[in-house]
Each structure stands twice: as structure tokens, then as C-alpha cells.
Amino acid sequence: MKRLEHVSLGTRSVWAGEKDYLVHGATQVPVVHSVSFGYDDIDHWFQVATGKKPGHIYGRNTNPTVQAFEDKVKNLESAQAATSFSTGMAAISNSLATVLSPGDRIVSIKDTYGGTNKIFSEFLPKLNIDVTLCETGNHETLEAEVKKGCKILYLETPTNPTVKITDIERMVKVAHKVGALVFVDNTFATPILQNPLEFGVDLVIHSATKFLGGHADALGGVVCSNDRTLIERIFHYREINGASLDPMAAYLLLRGMKTLHLRVKQQCESAEKIARFLQKHEKVDKVFYPGLETHPNHEIAKQQMRGFGGMLSFAVKGELDSVRKFLPKLKFANKAANLGAVETTVGPARTTSHIENTPEERAALGIPEGLVRYSVGIEEVDDLLDDLKDALSFI
Ligand SMILES: *Cc1c(COP(=O)(O)O)cnc(C)c1O
């Protein structure tokens, strides 16, 4: 039998990370709810507790179900090590807190996820960490800022909600020259479409709540790296600070991931059809999707991704008034602040990803007030197209 790393990502989504955790001939990973793990032999106990023998001690540190989830993600990202968190934001904040010290500098882009952006604008400056946020998609500015020196270059690609792309390989080269670590939030692409570690990235971050789990029923986060020491340091920060992934959530995420490749494949296919349909629609001003030839970063996306993803956004004519009219008419879409689920999910950018910003700030970010984020689900695409056609006729 081929080693699992040599089979396709689809097969790995189904099989990877599970075998070591099966018990009593079960074909599915058990949900181990036990908070503690006991040892009669105190020498054995001591060896496990000090990491000299494999095993578990206490649920805040490690748990078998949680570990199976980490192993699956680690395999899909072809990483050497991974550790998990209660949410995507915990993964991001714990990783930053592990590496950064007062006086350090971090360079990133303006279009990071809303919560990440809040860490940059509100929390890191309080710790005397200098944050520089560059125009997303402007590689020259980003390069110039990184060259001045920094501890971390933090990227997210594709971004939220205008789906901008940053050239990962190009940025890694500049960052490594100044000794900076590169973190990439890979939530939108998923490991099916993009493996940032291939381009030399130091840490890959996922909100597992989104595409990895795929069913909008469990929160979670995970980070992967080829640098085992970096993951050990982040794990140590998390085990002490306590943002551990719950075993039941780990199980739901693990189960969701078994269909990751099928969902993502369908979502990419449907998103492209929908983007092309919207582009020609008279009520639509602008469509943002990296799969469109008109997208400013289409070529970079083609180089570093294996597909363009299930996320798109579009601006309707008539701004917010039009959104108010058409959004409630969509039958096959949750109007909610989530994405990456099996159900299509929609929301105006001003009430989801960029609720924290003023209209002026949104304008500066190139986010029209009438922008709608559309996370394509796995419904039959013709039904989604009909649904959009009907709803847009109310404008
Ligand atoms: C949702 C999201 C996060 C945060 O994840 P949570 O699980 O909600 O904490 C981080 N990055 C991106 C790109 C996201 O979409």
C-alpha cells in the first residue's frame, strides 16, 4: 500500500490521522470526554507527564480525539507538526502571543479577517508591538515595509470579503532575508486548494470553524508548521493559557473533513458559474472572484492555488437599499455571519466581516456599502442561480 502522504488529498481527507486512535475494532475515532488520564504505575505516569513516553495526562494539554483532528490537518498540509485551539481566533492570538515580545514589529495587510484586524489595531499596540498594515495586493509596499525589518509577516490569502490574493512565495523570500517568520491564514483556500508550507511559510493557520468543519456546528482552530520547535512553543502557550479544543468539537470537525475535498470541488465549480452569471447581471455593479480573468490577482491565484475557492462577493447597484430589498428574498442562503458551510451563506460586508469599520473606513478598504459576501454551499448550482435571479429582480 502507498504511504498516505503519496496518495491524493481527497483520499487523505477521508483516511488520514485516524488509524492510531481507533479502539475495539471501531472504524470511527471515539470521542474521549475524559478530562484526565490515570496511571497506576507512578514511574510510567511521570514519564508520560514529562513527555518521555506517549500518552495523555489532562484534557487542557492533550486529548486523543483532538489529536486525531490535528493529525488529519497536519497530513493535509503536509506539515511536520500541528496543534489545535478552541477557535480560529485563539489559534491566531496564541500564535502571535507566543512569538511576539514588547518592542517587536509585525507587518500585515489591511484586509485581514475582522478579528485579526482588531488584534492588530487594538491589542498588540497596547503591548508595545509596532503594527504596520499595508494596502492588500500592493506587493511593492509590503516588500518595502518587510525590508525595514520585522518579527512576523502576517498574511491572509484569499482575503475577506473582496477575495484579494497575495503572492506567498514572493513575500516569503523578502521576509526570510530579514529573518522574519511568515504566518499565513489559509482558511479561505483550505489545504485542498493551497499549501502555504510548500512556499516556505513558517506557520499555516486555519479557522476550522469554516471550510474544514464545513457544517457550521463546531468552533475550532489549528496551526501547522514544518518547524516542530515553533509548534511546541505555541502548544506550550496554549496548554498553559487554556484555549484548548473540545473533544466533541474535534470529532465534528474530523467528521466534516472527510468530505472536505468533495465540498471544496463543488464550491469552486459553483462559485465560478455564479461569478460569471453575476458579472453579466444588469443589477450588479462589480463581482469579486479570483477565478475571473478580470480579477487583478487572477494570475497569482492561478500559480499558487489549485482552484479559486467557494467565496465571492458582489456589489449591487443602488447600494444598501438594494441589499435590503433582495437579500431577504434568497431562499437557499442563510443570512448569517459565517462562511464555508454546506449551506450557502450570505451577508452584507457592513454587517459581517467589516461591522467594526465606519463607512469611510470601508470606502478606504474598497468595500462598497452594497457589497454582499456570498459563500457558496453544496446545493445544486442551477438552483442557486435561479434563486439569485429571482431575488435580484426585487431590486
Ligand atoms: C472566521 C475566521 C477566523 C476566526 O475564526 P473563529 O473560528 O471564528 O475564531 C479567522 N480567519 C478567517 C479568514 C476567518 O474566516
PDB file of all heavy atoms in Angstrom, residues 87-89 92 113 156 185 187-188 207 209-210 220 339, ligand 1:
ATOM      1  N   THR A  87     -10.914  27.995  18.987  1.00  0.00           N
ATOM      2  CA  THR A  87     -11.462  28.768  17.855  1.00  0.00           C
ATOM      3  C   THR A  87     -10.319  29.177  16.931  1.00  0.00           C
ATOM      4  O   THR A  87      -9.142  29.062  17.310  1.00  0.00           O
ATOM      5  CB  THR A  87     -12.146  30.084  18.316  1.00  0.00           C
ATOM      6  OG1 THR A  87     -11.141  30.932  18.902  1.00  0.00           O
ATOM      7  CG2 THR A  87     -13.257  29.860  19.320  1.00  0.00           C
ATOM      8  N   GLY A  88     -10.685  29.698  15.777  1.00  0.00           N
ATOM      9  CA  GLY A  88      -9.670  30.241  14.866  1.00  0.00           C
ATOM     10  C   GLY A  88      -8.975  31.442  15.486  1.00  0.00           C
ATOM     11  O   GLY A  88      -7.762  31.601  15.365  1.00  0.00           O
ATOM     12  N   MET A  89      -9.731  32.315  16.163  1.00  0.00           N
ATOM     13  CA  MET A  89      -9.132  33.490  16.788  1.00  0.00           C
ATOM     14  C   MET A  89      -8.141  33.098  17.889  1.00  0.00           C
ATOM     15  O   MET A  89      -7.131  33.766  18.087  1.00  0.00           O
ATOM     16  CB  MET A  89     -10.205  34.434  17.350  1.00  0.00           C
ATOM     17  CG  MET A  89     -10.903  35.309  16.315  1.00  0.00           C
ATOM     18  SD  MET A  89      -9.829  36.057  15.054  1.00  0.00           S
ATOM     19  CE  MET A  89      -8.691  36.981  16.056  1.00  0.00           C
ATOM     20  N   ILE A  92      -4.941  32.234  16.224  1.00  0.00           N
ATOM     21  CA  ILE A  92      -4.218  33.431  15.785  1.00  0.00           C
ATOM     22  C   ILE A  92      -3.596  34.163  16.981  1.00  0.00           C
ATOM     23  O   ILE A  92      -2.397  34.456  16.995  1.00  0.00           O
ATOM     24  CB  ILE A  92      -5.174  34.357  14.990  1.00  0.00           C
ATOM     25  CG1 ILE A  92      -5.579  33.664  13.680  1.00  0.00           C
ATOM     26  CG2 ILE A  92      -4.523  35.721  14.717  1.00  0.00           C
ATOM     27  CD1 ILE A  92      -6.780  34.273  12.985  1.00  0.00           C
ATOM     28  N   TYR A 113      -8.959  39.211   8.319  1.00  0.00           N
ATOM     29  CA  TYR A 113     -10.239  38.922   8.981  1.00  0.00           C
ATOM     30  C   TYR A 113     -10.488  39.955  10.094  1.00  0.00           C
ATOM     31  O   TYR A 113      -9.536  40.370  10.779  1.00  0.00           O
ATOM     32  CB  TYR A 113     -10.161  37.501   9.553  1.00  0.00           C
ATOM     33  CG  TYR A 113     -11.370  37.099  10.354  1.00  0.00           C
ATOM     34  CD1 TYR A 113     -12.574  36.808   9.727  1.00  0.00           C
ATOM     35  CD2 TYR A 113     -11.312  37.019  11.741  1.00  0.00           C
ATOM     36  CE1 TYR A 113     -13.688  36.451  10.455  1.00  0.00           C
ATOM     37  CE2 TYR A 113     -12.422  36.658  12.483  1.00  0.00           C
ATOM     38  CZ  TYR A 113     -13.604  36.373  11.835  1.00  0.00           C
ATOM     39  OH  TYR A 113     -14.705  36.027  12.563  1.00  0.00           O
ATOM     40  N   GLU A 156      -2.930  36.809   4.814  1.00  0.00           N
ATOM     41  CA  GLU A 156      -4.162  36.022   4.663  1.00  0.00           C
ATOM     42  C   GLU A 156      -4.462  36.096   3.177  1.00  0.00           C
ATOM     43  O   GLU A 156      -4.512  37.182   2.610  1.00  0.00           O
ATOM     44  CB  GLU A 156      -5.265  36.700   5.488  1.00  0.00           C
ATOM     45  CG  GLU A 156      -6.566  35.943   5.536  1.00  0.00           C
ATOM     46  CD  GLU A 156      -7.613  36.683   6.394  1.00  0.00           C
ATOM     47  OE1 GLU A 156      -7.287  37.204   7.477  1.00  0.00           O
ATOM     48  OE2 GLU A 156      -8.764  36.747   5.937  1.00  0.00           O
ATOM     49  N   ASP A 185      -2.853  32.827   7.083  1.00  0.00           N
ATOM     50  CA  ASP A 185      -4.196  32.335   7.378  1.00  0.00           C
ATOM     51  C   ASP A 185      -4.730  31.705   6.091  1.00  0.00           C
ATOM     52  O   ASP A 185      -4.986  32.392   5.106  1.00  0.00           O
ATOM     53  CB  ASP A 185      -5.078  33.505   7.843  1.00  0.00           C
ATOM     54  CG  ASP A 185      -6.484  33.060   8.254  1.00  0.00           C
ATOM     55  OD1 ASP A 185      -6.968  32.046   7.703  1.00  0.00           O
ATOM     56  OD2 ASP A 185      -7.100  33.721   9.107  1.00  0.00           O
ATOM     57  N   THR A 187      -7.517  29.858   5.769  1.00  0.00           N
ATOM     58  CA  THR A 187      -8.918  29.467   5.974  1.00  0.00           C
ATOM     59  C   THR A 187      -9.729  29.420   4.675  1.00  0.00           C
ATOM     60  O   THR A 187     -10.456  28.461   4.431  1.00  0.00           O
ATOM     61  CB  THR A 187      -9.599  30.433   6.966  1.00  0.00           C
ATOM     62  OG1 THR A 187      -8.877  30.412   8.199  1.00  0.00           O
ATOM     63  CG2 THR A 187     -11.043  30.055   7.220  1.00  0.00           C
ATOM     64  N   PHE A 188      -9.604  30.467   3.854  1.00  0.00           N
ATOM     65  CA  PHE A 188     -10.427  30.549   2.637  1.00  0.00           C
ATOM     66  C   PHE A 188     -10.022  29.514   1.591  1.00  0.00           C
ATOM     67  O   PHE A 188     -10.864  28.993   0.882  1.00  0.00           O
ATOM     68  CB  PHE A 188     -10.334  31.956   2.023  1.00  0.00           C
ATOM     69  CG  PHE A 188     -11.350  32.921   2.561  1.00  0.00           C
ATOM     70  CD1 PHE A 188     -11.810  32.822   3.869  1.00  0.00           C
ATOM     71  CD2 PHE A 188     -11.866  33.939   1.768  1.00  0.00           C
ATOM     72  CE1 PHE A 188     -12.747  33.712   4.375  1.00  0.00           C
ATOM     73  CE2 PHE A 188     -12.806  34.837   2.257  1.00  0.00           C
ATOM     74  CZ  PHE A 188     -13.251  34.729   3.558  1.00  0.00           C
ATOM     75  N   SER A 207      -9.037  28.765  10.607  1.00  0.00           N
ATOM     76  CA  SER A 207     -10.243  28.696  11.409  1.00  0.00           C
ATOM     77  C   SER A 207     -10.947  27.438  10.920  1.00  0.00           C
ATOM     78  O   SER A 207     -11.499  27.414   9.816  1.00  0.00           O
ATOM     79  CB  SER A 207     -11.139  29.914  11.183  1.00  0.00           C
ATOM     80  OG  SER A 207     -12.419  29.629  11.723  1.00  0.00           O
ATOM     81  N   THR A 209     -13.557  26.272  11.961  1.00  0.00           N
ATOM     82  CA  THR A 209     -14.992  26.556  12.034  1.00  0.00           C
ATOM     83  C   THR A 209     -15.609  26.670  10.642  1.00  0.00           C
ATOM     84  O   THR A 209     -16.793  26.401  10.463  1.00  0.00           O
ATOM     85  CB  THR A 209     -15.181  27.908  12.763  1.00  0.00           C
ATOM     86  OG1 THR A 209     -14.362  27.930  13.924  1.00  0.00           O
ATOM     87  CG2 THR A 209     -16.620  28.141  13.136  1.00  0.00           C
ATOM     88  N   LYS A 210     -14.818  27.066   9.675  1.00  0.00           N
ATOM     89  CA  LYS A 210     -15.324  27.383   8.344  1.00  0.00           C
ATOM     90  C   LYS A 210     -15.304  26.140   7.448  1.00  0.00           C
ATOM     91  O   LYS A 210     -16.020  25.204   7.704  1.00  0.00           O
ATOM     92  CB  LYS A 210     -14.526  28.540   7.757  1.00  0.00           C
ATOM     93  CG  LYS A 210     -14.351  29.729   8.724  1.00  0.00           C
ATOM     94  CD  LYS A 210     -15.653  30.449   9.007  1.00  0.00           C
ATOM     95  CE  LYS A 210     -15.530  31.481  10.123  1.00  0.00           C
ATOM     96  NZ  LYS A 210     -14.487  32.472   9.943  1.00  0.00           N
ATOM     97  N   GLY A 220     -13.452  25.852  16.024  1.00  0.00           N
ATOM     98  CA  GLY A 220     -12.115  25.290  16.225  1.00  0.00           C
ATOM     99  C   GLY A 220     -11.071  26.034  15.431  1.00  0.00           C
ATOM    100  O   GLY A 220     -11.390  26.768  14.486  1.00  0.00           O
ATOM    101  N   LEU A 339     -19.253  31.365   7.074  1.00  0.00           N
ATOM    102  CA  LEU A 339     -18.897  31.026   5.691  1.00  0.00           C
ATOM    103  C   LEU A 339     -18.315  29.620   5.668  1.00  0.00           C
ATOM    104  O   LEU A 339     -17.991  29.055   6.707  1.00  0.00           O
ATOM    105  CB  LEU A 339     -17.896  32.046   5.139  1.00  0.00           C
ATOM    106  CG  LEU A 339     -16.555  32.216   5.873  1.00  0.00           C
ATOM    107  CD1 LEU A 339     -15.462  31.364   5.259  1.00  0.00           C
ATOM    108  CD2 LEU A 339     -16.130  33.664   5.864  1.00  0.00           C
TER     109      LEU A 339
HETATM  110  C1  LIG B   1     -13.666  33.039  10.829  1.00  0.00           C
HETATM  111  C2  LIG B   1     -12.276  33.353  10.517  1.00  0.00           C
HETATM  112  C3  LIG B   1     -11.323  33.462  11.539  1.00  0.00           C
HETATM  113  C4  LIG B   1     -11.679  33.303  13.007  1.00  0.00           C
HETATM  114  O1  LIG B   1     -12.129  32.018  13.289  1.00  0.00           O
HETATM  115  P1  LIG B   1     -13.110  31.666  14.516  1.00  0.00           P
HETATM  116  O2  LIG B   1     -13.148  30.193  14.491  1.00  0.00           O
HETATM  117  O3  LIG B   1     -14.420  32.329  14.227  1.00  0.00           O
HETATM  118  O4  LIG B   1     -12.483  32.231  15.737  1.00  0.00           O
HETATM  119  C5  LIG B   1     -10.015  33.726  11.180  1.00  0.00           C
HETATM  120  N1  LIG B   1      -9.655  33.904   9.888  1.00  0.00           N
HETATM  121  C6  LIG B   1     -10.546  33.820   8.887  1.00  0.00           C
HETATM  122  C7  LIG B   1     -10.085  34.009   7.481  1.00  0.00           C
HETATM  123  C8  LIG B   1     -11.883  33.553   9.157  1.00  0.00           C
HETATM  124  O5  LIG B   1     -12.764  33.478   8.158  1.00  0.00           O
END
